[in-house]
Amino acid sequence: MQKPLVPRVAQPRVEDRRPPSELLAEKKWTIKRKLVQNMLARYNYLYNARKKLHLITHNVSRQGQDNYNYLLPFYPYSLQNLGLSTGDLDTVIEKASINIQIRDPRSKWIDDSYLVIGQAYFYQGEWDKASRTFQFINTKFAPKKKDEYKTVIGSSQKDELSIASREKRKPPFGYFKHTFARNDAFVWQAKTLLEMKEFDQARSLMNIVEHDPYFPKRLAGDLAEVRAYALYKQERFAEVIVPLQIAVKSKGNRDERARMYYILGQLYTNYSHPDSAVMMFHKVIKQKPDPMMDFQARMQIAKLDATREGGSFDESLARLKRMARREKYIEFRDAIYYNMANIVLPKDPDLALEYLRQSLKVESSNTMQRALSFKAIADIYYGQRQYRLARNFYDSTATVMPPEFTDSAIVNKRKRVLNDVVIRVEAIQKEDSLQRIAAMPESDRKIFLEKMAATMRKEAEERAKKQKEDADNGIDPQAMANNNPLINNNMNNSPATPKKEDQGDWYFYNNASKSAGFAEFKKRWGNRPLADNWRRSQSGAAAANQPLQTEDENGNTTGTADATKAPSDSATANALAAGLPLTPDDLLKSNVIIEDAYYDLGKLYNDQLDNTELAIETYDTLLNRYPQHPHKTEVIYSLYIWHTKLGHTAQAAKYKQNVMTQFGDSKFASIIKYGSLQDINQEKKKEISTAYDSVYVSYSRGDLEGAMALKKAADSTYGLNFMQPKFDLLEAMIIMKMDTCEFGRQAVLNVINKYKQDDGVQEKAKSLLEALDNRAALVVYLSRLEIEKDKDNKVVDENISIRYPWQNPEPKFESKLDSVKIQTAMADSIKLAANAGLKVAPLPAPLKPITIYKLNATNPHFVVLSFKRVSKAIMDEALTQFTKYNAAKHAGESIQVANFVLTPEEVMLIFRLFPNEDKALDYFDEIRIDAEKIIPRIRPSDYSMFIISRDNFIQMNSTKDISGYKKFFDENYVTQ
């Protein structure tokens, strides 16, 4: 045989890279292959994927504690904040995907694998991917006949549209047949559309499958649950009851049934069906839920039995008292006392207050319940008009309430406004008391003042005696007398430090130690001048922020010292009589204070607290006591507006007639008659416009205090005028530039709420509010405000063209020629301005930031170690280590270390009490260096350190502005 001249080259074998599923699909679908593939597809990867998904979704818990005093969330978690591990869900997707790739596609468990993938995407929050997966199941696994080339979804069955896959599950063997995942995918597709807020599409899909004759009955409960959830998300709570009753009957999970029954009980309670509500709460208890839900259900039953027909108030209260004594409910005693207070509140507010105090005395880690108890006490005092107590308890509520607290906006608003209310109420009470004493006969007045002085001296002696006893027991009397009560309430004192021991030779007697210390100081701090407070930065920022007037403990300006406030230990009748309004001039001044306080209170009640009834009562009192009040016209006009708002037709007509007859030529009569100030002539308008121009010119030059003074003068001179919205908007801009935080925001919000009908003001005020949300660009933003003059009246008005820095990007010069053109244009503009007689003034220097914190070297100080979101175990360890350190290194110096919760996120260790700034700085330097050795398990990046005076600590605790103080500390102290 002849050999080929050229040897043959073997052709490379083509590798078949098709997935195993395609290769298996080419083989015959025999009974043996069907059994093997179905069994492996079900009990291998799919089984493990389902099991892992079940563990993930049932172990997730909702962030924060459920507030059972409000309607519970439909699910015990929020899908947007599940906190699920993305890696775990990816593992579920991977397992189900492998099952699809390696098993025969004719297996009846492949559609279940796709369903698990869609569910995993759903819990990941990947709504779009989940929706596409469920849609794929709908089209891929739709039923079709063998002779059909293409699947057609939707057919007419029994004169109705059908899109579901028919499941033939006749008993008894039908129950063991495989179910089509495609039908489940319809339900999950509806849930996904709800999370995507596609409510119309979800409702359409649910309507179709609900009336589908082939949609399986096994999914009727799941479909009812999705329908209930859709109505719940849209807050159509009355319609939730019927589908939720259907859904709860088909629920197999006991915890899910208990939650649905509890929500049904709440809905029945809200819609005044107490008997049905009690039945639902009893069903909750039968499900044996978690202890908290079981307890809350019993609480709801007790509250309903106290008020519903057939119930007993005394029996409900007695039942709660028995629960409070049982050991089973020890951890819920705070909530038991809270509910007892709610039950007795309508009949006996004083007893309710006692129960609430007992609730706060109970040791508990439930911050939500503590916030509810504090707010309940504050609400009672608020209703009783005891505003000082109400303010204090609202402040305590704000301190402990978690971020998800429902009434946080109300609490913060009332806490802020009630401080202004308290100042004016106490001013009225004080002046009334002084006037009553001054009105006494001279002999009786002298006897009264002598008794008061004796009482004050006795109380001062008792305080001094107690302080001495505290000092003998190792307690700092100054700290106990002057410290912020919130500090004493929140700080857990550490064990007593050891007594003072001998420390050896004094440092300054040892020349070697002195020389070494001086060298170390110079190396570390440089050549510092011999001066007091040498540790402070020499920037001058602190001096610029010193107060010009005396302030009280709340930071409110007091003006001059109170003449009637004599030292308690040396009080005499003559000293107390020095501040009494005994002369006509003093009496007139006292009455002016009362008049102004009533006038301001009426506005605060109506504008800030939305309490129009109390505002009317206040102004009625003002008119009765001072009929010739300088703002009488405005007061009567306000009464007309407020009575109209409340629908008091007769009273509103009376005050309207009063304005029109007695003050017919006033601006308020013009507003009532014409709807605006029609009677102002052109001369008056020009005068007001000029005043506005002056205010704005001062503002544009950076003289904010001068602009504010001119605005107040305009308000006093012209009162309410046609340019009032512009004046108020400009005032908000001034405040915003002074303080871009809470006060600036509140000023802008006041303008928005006050002028809701003025579209121009609304637009500009909302733009200012938006700018506050971009504080980093605020300075640039304010520098680009462009104020235009109206060409007709040549008056600066509120036509403000607002462009944000991010809307005006810096130009990019593509070539040198472009840069030259820009510079030439700028030079030409300057020449043109010079030829027009205009002066090109430089920009004003930036204002120094205003801070509420002040430097006081002689004030007692704390050293603070501040943590963010640290665990209790870490705090306890740090507390123990520093206590041991102080016992070893500072024995006898009475340095106490304790933990303090400023906010739920900010926790501190506070070292107290150092008599002055220098002592605090010395200790600060020491532990700042040794902290890594004292608490080695805590990373330095997890905490920060600073010193703070007692007065500044009170301010920081009131505002919760720890970042503001840290900035103040960095600017005013040298720490490196």
Side-chain angles (χ1 to χ4, degrees), residues 865-882 898-901 907-910 935 938:
L865 192 69
S866 175
F867 296 89
K868 265 190 175 295
R869 295 185 178 274
V870 68
S871 66
K872 185 176 185 300
I874 293 295
M875 285 295 298
D876 292 341
E877 178 183 353
L879 181 66
T880 303
Q881 294 299 327
F882 276 108
N899 56 38
F900 178 77
V901 180
V907 187
M908 305 174 178
L909 282 184
I910 298 183
I935 46 175
I938 305 177

Side-chain angles (χ1 to χ4, degrees), residues 25 55 62 90 110 233 323 392 399 488 490 540 712 726 738 756 848 940:
L55 290 173
R62 187 172 183 271
D90 287 339
I110 299 300
K233 283 180 71 72
M323 290 178 64
N392 293 341
T399 303
N488 295 325
N490 289 288
K712 296 296 184 184
K726 304 173 186 179
M738 286 181 172
K756 294 182 179 180
K848 294 180 179 179

Side-chain angles (χ1 to χ4, degrees), residues 723-850:
M723 292 190 69
Q724 195 64 44
K726 304 173 186 179
F727 272 111
D728 290 346
L729 179 61
L730 185 54
E731 181 181 13
M733 293 168 61
I734 295 171
I735 297 175
M736 190 181 74
K737 206 165 185 181
M738 286 181 172
D739 186 338
T740 60
C741 297
E742 181 64 25
F743 295 106
R745 175 178 292 277
Q746 187 59 41
V748 177
L749 286 174
N750 290 341
V751 173
I752 293 174
N753 295 330
K754 188 175 182 180
Y755 302 106
K756 294 182 179 180
Q757 306 301 323
D758 194 326
D759 295 336
V761 170
Q762 285 285 311
E763 180 183 355
K764 294 167 182 60
K766 289 178 180 178
S767 299
L768 292 172
L769 195 62
E770 183 181 352
L772 285 175
D773 296 331
N774 298 274
R775 295 176 186 173
L778 185 60
V779 176
V780 179
Y781 157 72
L782 288 174
S783 68
R784 295 185 181 184
L785 286 178
E786 300 174 5
I787 309 299
E788 299 178 358
K789 289 190 176 182
D790 194 306
K791 296 181 179 180
D792 297 332
N793 55 18
K794 303 293 181 64
V795 175
V796 178
D797 62 13
E798 87 286 9
N799 294 328
I800 305 172
S801 176
I802 299 179
R803 296 291 296 172
Y804 301 112
W806 51 91
Q807 294 173 337
N808 291 327
E810 294 295 332
K812 296 181 179 179
F813 302 127
E814 298 182 357
S815 65
K816 185 176 181 181
L817 180 61
D818 293 336
S819 178
V820 172
K821 290 181 179 179
I822 294 296
Q823 294 177 2
T824 305
M826 292 176 61
D828 292 342
S829 299
I830 295 174
K831 291 180 181 179
L832 183 61
N835 295 334
L838 299 175
K839 295 181 179 180
V840 181
L843 291 174
L847 293 174
K848 294 180 179 179
I850 297 176

Side-chain angles (χ1 to χ4, degrees), residues 292-492:
M292 174 59 77
M293 184 173 287
D294 178 272
F295 166 75
Q296 292 294 341
R298 297 177 187 275
M299 290 294 99
Q300 295 297 331
I301 293 172
K303 289 196 291 185
L304 289 168
D305 283 342
T307 55
R308 73 186 180 104
E309 185 178 354
S312 173
F313 174 86
D314 296 332
E315 176 58 29
S316 296
L317 196 60
R319 187 186 309 161
L320 293 177
K321 290 180 179 178
R322 289 195 297 270
M323 290 178 64
R325 292 193 295 268
R326 293 183 61 183
E327 185 177 358
K328 178 181 178 181
Y329 300 108
I330 286 180
E331 60 177 319
F332 303 120
R333 283 181 180 174
D334 53 347
I336 293 175
Y337 288 126
Y338 172 79
N339 283 280
M340 291 170 68
N342 286 334
I343 290 175
V344 303
L345 178 59
K347 295 184 177 181
D348 192 346
D350 293 334
L351 182 58
L353 284 172
E354 183 60 32
Y355 284 138
L356 290 171
R357 293 190 185 98
Q358 291 184 36
S359 173
L360 292 173
K361 289 179 182 178
V362 174
E363 293 185 5
S364 174
S365 60
N366 189 343
T367 56
M368 178 69 75
Q369 183 56 60
R370 289 188 66 82
L372 289 170
S373 298
F374 274 125
K375 183 181 180 296
I377 296 177
D379 289 341
I380 293 174
Y381 284 133
Y382 180 79
Q384 295 175 348
R385 301 183 186 179
Q386 300 187 47
Y387 294 121
R388 173 176 283 277
L389 293 172
R391 179 199 59 185
N392 293 341
F393 278 97
Y394 280 128
D395 183 70
S396 299
T397 307
T399 303
V400 301
M401 65 183 180
E404 65 269 19
F405 192 71
T406 308
D407 294 330
S408 58
I410 297 175
V411 170
N412 290 325
K413 180 178 180 180
R414 288 186 177 179
K415 180 188 74 170
R416 183 179 65 254
V417 176
L418 284 180
N419 189 56
D420 296 333
V421 172
V422 166
I423 292 173
R424 287 157 179 82
V425 169
E426 292 185 346
I428 293 173
Q429 294 173 350
K430 173 187 172 184
E431 297 302 326
D432 284 342
S433 300
L434 295 177
Q435 289 185 17
R436 282 196 298 271
I437 297 173
M440 293 180 180
E442 185 176 357
S443 58
D444 295 343
R445 183 170 64 244
K446 186 174 181 180
I447 295 173
F448 178 83
L449 293 177
E450 287 178 349
K451 290 181 178 179
M452 180 182 290
T455 303
M456 293 174 63
R457 290 194 298 270
K458 183 177 180 181
E459 291 176 352
E461 292 176 0
E462 292 177 353
R463 284 197 301 270
K465 183 178 179 181
K466 188 175 185 308
Q467 291 176 4
K468 187 176 183 302
E469 293 175 354
D470 292 341
D472 294 339
N473 294 329
I475 302 174
D476 187 353
Q478 186 179 9
M480 296 298 293
N482 299 328
N483 208 359
N484 187 354
L486 289 174
I487 299 177
N488 295 325
N489 291 338
N490 289 288
M491 294 183 67
N492 302 318

Side-chain angles (χ1 to χ4, degrees), residues 106-308:
R106 292 167 290 187
S107 171
K108 59 185 178 182
W109 297 100
I110 299 300
D111 55 347
D112 296 85
S113 299
Y114 280 110
L115 182 66
V116 171
I117 293 174
Q119 291 170 343
Y121 281 136
F122 177 84
Y123 286 112
Q124 275 187 341
E126 300 283 354
W127 317 123
D128 187 55
K129 292 181 180 179
S131 179
R132 291 202 302 268
T133 304
F134 297 133
Q135 187 64 33
F136 173 78
I137 297 173
N138 178 25
T139 56
K140 176 68 175 177
F141 300 97
K144 69 175 181 178
K145 297 180 181 179
K146 293 183 179 180
D147 57 347
E148 289 180 349
Y149 175 73
K150 189 175 182 180
T151 304
V152 178
I153 299 176
S155 62
S156 178
Q157 301 291 339
K158 301 178 182 179
D159 297 330
E160 293 181 351
L161 177 65
S162 175
I163 63 173
S165 297
R166 187 176 184 180
E167 296 179 358
K168 298 179 181 180
R169 306 184 68 201
K170 292 183 179 180
F173 298 105
Y175 293 128
F176 298 98
K177 284 188 175 182
H178 174 260
T179 57
F180 294 109
R182 181 171 175 268
N183 294 326
D184 298 80
F186 288 130
V187 178
W188 281 93
Q189 176 76 346
K191 291 179 68 173
T192 306
L193 291 172
L194 290 177
E195 297 301 337
M196 297 170 69
K197 298 183 179 180
E198 299 288 348
F199 296 110
D200 292 336
Q201 294 185 36
R203 184 168 58 251
S204 299
L205 178 58
M206 287 187 288
N207 289 339
I208 292 174
V209 297
E210 185 177 18
H211 297 92
D212 193 321
Y214 290 157
F215 189 73
K217 293 182 179 179
R218 66 180 179 86
L219 293 175
D222 293 337
L223 184 62
E225 178 185 342
V226 177
R227 187 175 292 278
Y229 182 49
L231 296 170
Y232 196 93
K233 283 180 71 72
Q234 299 175 72
E235 299 185 356
R236 297 159 60 181
F237 298 119
E239 303 173 49
V240 173
I241 296 176
V242 174
L244 194 58
Q245 286 176 329
I246 299 173
V248 72
K249 293 178 182 178
S250 64
K251 271 296 173 185
N253 185 281
R254 189 175 62 186
D255 293 334
E256 293 178 357
R257 282 201 309 271
R259 190 175 193 87
M260 289 184 177
Y261 278 131
Y262 196 94
I263 293 175
L264 279 171
Q266 290 181 313
L267 292 175
Y268 279 128
T269 302
N270 292 343
Y271 290 101
S272 302
H273 297 293
D275 295 335
S276 299
V278 169
M279 182 174 64
M280 291 298 110
F281 288 125
H282 277 298
K283 288 185 177 182
V284 173
I285 297 173
K286 288 181 181 179
Q287 303 304 317
K288 300 186 182 303
D290 61 89
M292 174 59 77
M293 184 173 287
D294 178 272
F295 166 75
Q296 292 294 341
R298 297 177 187 275
M299 290 294 99
Q300 295 297 331
I301 293 172
K303 289 196 291 185
L304 289 168
D305 283 342
T307 55
R308 73 186 180 104

